Each structure stands twice: as C-alpha cells, then as structure tokens.
Amino acid sequence: MTIDRKTTSRLLVPLSLILTCAAAQAQSRLKFGSMPALSGAASVGSLFDGGASGAALAVAPAAEVASVPTRSEADLRRELAAAVKSGDWAIMSLSPEARALATPAEKLQMLKTLMDAASRSSNNNGEGGDPDRWRRDAAMQGMLGSAPDAASFDWVYYRANTATMFRVMDSRGLRALSARYRAGAVPGDWDGYLSYLDTVAETKSAGRNQVQFLIDGADVIAPGLAVIDDAKYSIHMEVFQLQGDEVGKAVAERLAAKAAKGVKVRLLLDEHGTQPDEPSGGPVRELIALMRAGGVDVRVRKTPFGAGHLDHRKVMVVDGDVGFTGGMNIGKSYQMDWHDQQTMIIGPAVARLQDNFLEQWRAQGGAVDPNEPGVYPTIEEPANGVETRVVVHRGGAADQNIKAAYIRAFATAQTSIRIANPYFMDADVVQTLCEAAGRKVKVQVVLPEDNDVKIVQRGSRAYYPDLIQAGVEVYEYQGRMAHEKVAVIDTYWSTVGSSNLDTRSLSNNDELNLVLMDRKLAAYIERWLFDADLQRSKRIMQYTPTPRERLDRSLEELL
C-alpha cells in the first residue's frame, strides 16, 4: 500500500487529538443531519483510513478518554510546532491544550493557513461545497476565542485580514467573538487603553512633546515654510499629493534652494495622489524636474495594481527635531480652499516620525545613513509636554492599527466623543459609536456637507438613521470641504493624523496618526475646532437614505 504525505501526517497525530477532533466532527455532523454516528474505535479508524471528511464521528466513550494519560508541556509544544508547520488538517486537529500554548504570532500563522485553505476549497468545490467547512470554522473560532484578553485577541484579529475572515468564517460567530472582547473595555480606564494599544498596535510612549495644533492653510503653510528655511541638515517629506500650482511651486522652490546649499532633501510622493504621468500632470512634472535639478532626491511611489494600497501619509521631519503631520497635502486647494488641520510637534516623538519616513523611503530604494547629521539628534522632553504615541498603519491588510486605536478608544469613552472626519464609512466604527451613545456618552460626528468623494458621502449618509436612532449627534459642515481627521474623547484622549474612517484608510492605505493624552490640549482642540465648526454646521435630526446611498453603503461593507 502506498501512503501519501497527508496520510502519513494523520498517522502521526496523537490519540488525544483524534478524540478531540472526533468530538468536534460528531457535533457538527449531527447538527447538520449527517449519517448516523460511529462509535468509539470506529471513529478512530475512520480518521486513519481517510474517511474523516465523509463519515460522521462520535465522541469516544468516557472510559476511553479517561484512559489517555496527561501529556507533558514538552509534548504539547511539539504538537503545536508540528501543526504550525503543517497544513490545515493538522491545525484543525490541534488539541485545546496545545492551542492554549500558542503565541499570538503562531495563532496568526495558523489562522492564515486555515483561511487560505477555506478560500481554496470555496473556489474549487463549486456547488459541492467544502466538506471540512464546519471543522475548519470551529478551529478558526477556537483559535481566536482562546485569547486570554482583548489585546491578545485584537493583535491577531486586526492582522488576519478581517475581510477574508468574514468571507470564509461564520460571520455571526466572528462578530460575537469580537463583541465579547470589546465589551471588556472599562469606560474611563485610559491606563488600560494605553496598555492595550501598546500590545495591539505595537506602540510605546514617545515621551512628552510640545504640540502645536494648527487649523487651515494660512496658519499651516507659514510655519511649515519657516521651518524649511531654517533647516541645517535634512528635510524629509512624505506627502500624498503635490499640486502644480503656486503653493506647490513655493514649496518646491524652497526645497530646491535648501538642497543647493547642501541640506539633504528627500521627498516621497504617492503616484496615485500626485498623478505626475497623467495628461494634466504637466505642472507637477515641471516642479519635480525643478527640484531634481536643484539636488532634491524625489521619489514617486508607484501605484499598485487596482490602486488598493496607497501611501496616504503626510509627514515632514526637519533636522530630526521638528515634525509635522496631519491631513494636508501640498497645493492651493488644500492650503487655501479646504478646511483642514496639521500638527507641529517638537520632542522625542519626532524620532518615531523619522523612523517611519525612513522605512517608507528605503522601501522605494532610498538609502540614508542613520548617523548622518540631522537624522537622529539627541532630543530632550520639553517641560509641560504632551504624552504622545505614534500609531502607524501599514496598508495592504498588514494590520489595522489605527482602527484598533479608534475602536478601543470609543469603547473606553466615559463622557464624550467628538469626531471630525471627511470620509466616514465603516460599519465597526458606526456600531461602536452607537454602543457608546447607548451608555449615555455624548457622541458628536462632524462630516462635510459637500464631500469631494461622492460615493463616500452617499455611503456615510446611509448610516445616518443608525447613528441618529442611537442618540449620536450628526452634523454636516457648511461651505468649504472639511478634510480634517481629528477626534477628542473625554476631553483627554486626542488623535490627529492622515487616517480617514473608511475602509481605504483603515485597511488598505499606509497611514500615520498621533495619539495624544492631555486635558489642556484636548480642551484647546474642542474649543478652537469642534465648538467653532458646530457653529458652521447643520445638525441632521432625521434622514431617509436614497436607494443609491444604501447601495453604496452595502458595497463598502463588502470590502
């Protein structure tokens, strides 16, 4: 008899695994009305002869289970290591005791293996279905549900590509698991929140920093140009869109002038945002040529197929000790015509901005010596600074760090949540805000009345009835396009940065936000941004979405 590799792997499975798998198989098969269950030894035999996927299995008699000796931790770890390296069948057969020893990274690897197998089976089986679907789903649910706390659960959950999970797993069970861990958040426990964030998003305190919250172009472009003019060693800039107008030209000329004087100037642009190769991109191409002629190293990150993974960050670091980040691109329509926000930061958090710029720069083939002057200078914490964390999201389903930061913050809110965001279309965000309103948290959401991306505006408005019914105050900002990405919770937690609250930002794009813990700063943002914006906004008291708006919401939820 010839024994193939799959049969060999089955023969090596310990008896306790066989019994565990048999119990799970019996439960799922009987639940869905399969063939009569086999008993004891017949169940075991069916696994050995390859009939597990086609025959119903029963739990071995209690006496047989009791006769299996307790296994050592070394044995369990060997079982776990073998499962991690093997295919989906070995992972589905993994005992609960061995699974409990898995690290989050091992769980993620095994979960991805099961998800890949589920996707292949779904594509290959057609109407015949996947005979191992229920066992595989139980294994995936068990892998996630074995997490000891919310941080351990979400570290895996937000790295496993939730869109794929919901496609290949029982969505109701998956939502129930996520809700169970989310319910563990304690309103007002911000120390617990920071511990969670440091685990899930792999952040750490960047110390206390001087933070200057800047609103609108006139108050942003002037300090930005002044810092560029004062640069002595290096200027590092990463921006989604450079426009070929007078504002873009003013920045380009400043950068070229500094490069001509020996300052290391590196500029990273996103091709999709800047579009230099489009027929209308002539003015941008001229600016790029002007800068390169002056000694600026300009790199354009190419747009991946389908434009699903873009570099949407807006970061500038000058001499390694002054940084800017926020929602603004470079161009007149952003700096002059749109309502937007940028933050200047001085302190040790600038080194974290530098880390992430250099990571993106090297990914585009750039080389920077970390010992180069002005890259990583010694930075001291300023007196009376703001506790800061830099939260980085790497797109392409690599993680969902910023989404995790938002969702957990909403669940931790005790008194108030205020959000200003232009692209607001995520079912999990909406659900968590509704849950907060149900706890009597005052929730206010400010969106643009005239959004430049109509499909997002339609999808956002389809969520209005859910929000309003839950008690969330929904406002639309009148006049200019409101493009800021800012939130304040409990007049203590604040976030600013590049990330929108839609799938493109929270899952697909590269984004960067600051999380800032300071009551004075939060009160300042509330007064000068939110209180002022509400005076220019219309509150939506009731809303009936159009069929097109409901359709666009549905399309977003499929992503």
Side-chain angles (χ1 to χ4, degrees):
M1 177 179 66
T2 302
I3 301 177
D4 61 21
R5 189 186 313 173
K6 184 173 182 181
T7 303
T8 302
S9 70
R10 295 185 179 187
L11 288 169
L12 296 177
V13 176
L15 178 59
S16 63
L17 299 191
I18 296 170
L19 297 174
T20 300
C21 180
Q25 183 82 353
Q27 184 176 9
S28 66
R29 298 293 180 188
L30 291 175
K31 179 179 179 181
F32 292 95
S34 292
M35 296 168 57
L38 303 177
S39 63
S43 306
V44 176
S46 69
L47 283 176
F48 281 97
D49 68 15
S53 64
L57 305 178
V59 182
E64 293 184 46
V65 174
S67 68
V68 178
T70 302
R71 300 169 61 211
S72 68
E73 181 176 331
D75 284 342
L76 293 171
R77 289 198 180 278
R78 280 192 288 271
E79 177 193 344
L80 173 63
V84 170
K85 295 178 182 178
S86 302
D88 62 321
W89 195 92
I91 297 172
M92 287 189 288
S93 304
L94 190 64
S95 67
E97 295 83 3
R99 184 175 61 202
L101 297 176
T103 65
E106 288 171 328
K107 289 181 180 179
L108 178 61
Q109 183 176 343
M110 290 188 288
L111 185 63
K112 286 183 175 180
T113 298
L114 293 173
M115 290 164 57
D116 288 344
S119 295
R120 290 195 303 271
S121 296
S122 176
N123 292 335
N124 295 336
N125 281 293
E127 295 182 1
D130 176 7
D132 289 328
R133 174 184 174 187
W134 306 111
R135 290 180 56 214
R136 190 179 288 112
D137 188 83
M140 290 188 285
Q141 299 275 358
M143 199 73 65
L144 287 165
S146 64
D149 53 41
S152 300
F153 174 85
D154 281 345
W155 189 94
V156 176
Y157 179 78
Y158 284 120
R159 283 169 174 75
N161 192 337
T162 53
T164 301
M165 275 197 293
F166 276 101
R167 188 174 69 250
V168 301
M169 293 176 64
D170 172 39
S171 60
R172 289 177 298 177
L174 188 55
R175 291 190 187 282
L177 266 179
S178 179
R180 187 183 89 195
Y181 284 102
R182 188 171 64 247
V186 178
D189 179 15
W190 291 107
D191 288 340
Y193 169 84
L194 292 176
S195 176
Y196 165 94
L197 185 64
D198 287 348
T199 297
V200 177
E202 298 179 341
T203 58
K204 61 181 179 180
S205 172
R208 297 190 175 276
N209 297 265
Q210 179 182 334
V211 174
Q212 189 169 356
F213 186 83
L214 307 170
I215 304 173
D216 289 339
D219 289 331
V220 172
I221 196 69
L225 292 177
V227 170
I228 289 173
D229 289 343
D230 289 341
K232 296 179 176 59
Y233 304 108
S234 63
I235 301 170
H236 293 161
M237 187 180 297
E238 176 182 4
V239 66
F240 180 64
Q241 183 178 102
L242 171 67
Q243 296 178 344
D245 54 27
E246 57 263 45
V247 172
K249 184 177 181 182
V251 172
E253 289 176 342
R254 288 294 215 298
L255 295 177
K258 297 304 293 189
K261 293 180 180 180
V263 174
K264 299 289 186 180
V265 183
R266 301 174 174 103
L267 174 62
L268 179 59
L269 303 172
D270 184 89
E271 181 185 48
H272 182 80
T274 299
Q275 299 184 343
D277 297 327
E278 294 296 315
S280 60
V284 174
R285 291 194 295 271
E286 292 177 7
L287 294 185
I288 292 174
L290 181 154
M291 288 186 285
R292 286 174 172 164
V296 178
D297 190 348
V298 182
R299 294 175 186 258
V300 180
R301 180 186 181 275
K302 294 296 182 181
T303 303
F305 177 76
H309 178 191
L310 310 177
D311 183 358
H312 192 245
R313 298 175 188 172
K314 291 90 175 175
V315 174
M316 182 170 75
V317 177
V318 176
D319 289 345
D321 59 9
V322 181
F324 289 80
T325 192
M328 287 191 176
N329 293 292
I330 299 175
K332 182 176 180 180
S333 68
Y334 281 96
Q335 269 70 26
M336 303 300 179
D337 301 331
W338 287 27
H339 181 41
D340 211 337
Q341 185 278 329
Q342 203 82 348
T343 298
M344 182 169 72
I345 188 164
I346 300 173
V350 178
R352 304 288 74 78
L353 297 181
Q354 188 80 288
D355 290 343
N356 290 288
F357 172 83
L358 294 180
E359 179 182 322
Q360 298 287 82
W361 186 255
R362 288 167 180 146
Q364 299 306 312
V368 179
D369 183 351
N371 297 315
E372 177 186 298
V375 175
Y376 286 111
T378 300
I379 304 177
E380 296 183 358
E381 292 188 12
N384 302 318
V386 174
E387 175 66 28
T388 305
R389 277 168 172 76
V390 178
V391 184
V392 177
H393 165 49
R394 297 169 181 85
D399 64 68
Q400 295 186 66
N401 290 338
I402 293 177
K403 181 171 181 174
Y406 265 113
I407 294 291
R408 193 68 178 184
F410 296 156
T412 305
Q414 189 171 34
T415 58
S416 62
I417 299 173
R418 307 181 87 176
I419 300 169
N421 204 284
Y423 312 121
F424 178 89
M425 196 163 64
D426 182 88
D428 295 330
V429 167
V430 171
Q431 178 183 343
T432 314
L433 290 175
C434 291
E435 290 170 355
R439 300 195 312 270
K440 306 303 180 185
V441 175
K442 184 174 183 178
V443 183
Q444 297 177 321
V445 177
V446 185
L447 310 174
E449 180 189 47
D450 186 13
N451 199 312
D452 70 314
V453 182
K454 297 306 180 185
I455 186 173
V456 176
Q457 181 165 42
R458 291 192 296 267
S460 297
R461 285 176 169 170
Y463 283 108
Y464 284 5
D466 300 333
L467 293 163
I468 295 168
Q469 184 176 359
V472 175
E473 297 179 14
V474 179
Y475 297 87
E476 289 189 343
Y477 184 85
Q478 309 290 291
R480 295 178 296 165
M481 167 61 187
H483 192 251
E484 67 272 39
K485 301 95 164 51
V486 181
V488 176
I489 300 178
D490 290 355
T491 316
Y492 179 50
W493 178 97
S494 305
T495 191
V496 298
S498 66
S499 184
N500 300 305
L501 288 173
D502 63 353
T503 299
R504 179 175 285 279
S505 274
L506 297 177
S507 181
N508 296 340
N509 289 345
D510 294 343
E511 305 282 3
L512 185 146
N513 272 35
L514 304 178
V515 167
L516 308 161
M517 313 298 289
D518 186 83
R519 296 197 181 280
K520 289 184 178 179
L521 174 64
Y524 180 92
I525 296 172
E526 288 197 291
R527 178 181 178 185
W528 294 104
L529 182 74
F530 286 98
D531 291 348
D533 281 7
L534 290 184
Q535 297 299 315
R536 301 180 178 91
S537 301
K538 175 180 67 177
R539 182 174 177 182
I540 310 300
M541 301 298 294
Q542 59 181 3
Y543 193 82
T544 302
T546 66
R548 177 66 183 276
E549 288 169 343
R550 293 186 186 278
L551 174 61
D552 288 339
R553 167 180 168 171
S554 298
L555 293 174
E556 172 73 10
E557 291 176 346
L558 289 174
L559 297 178

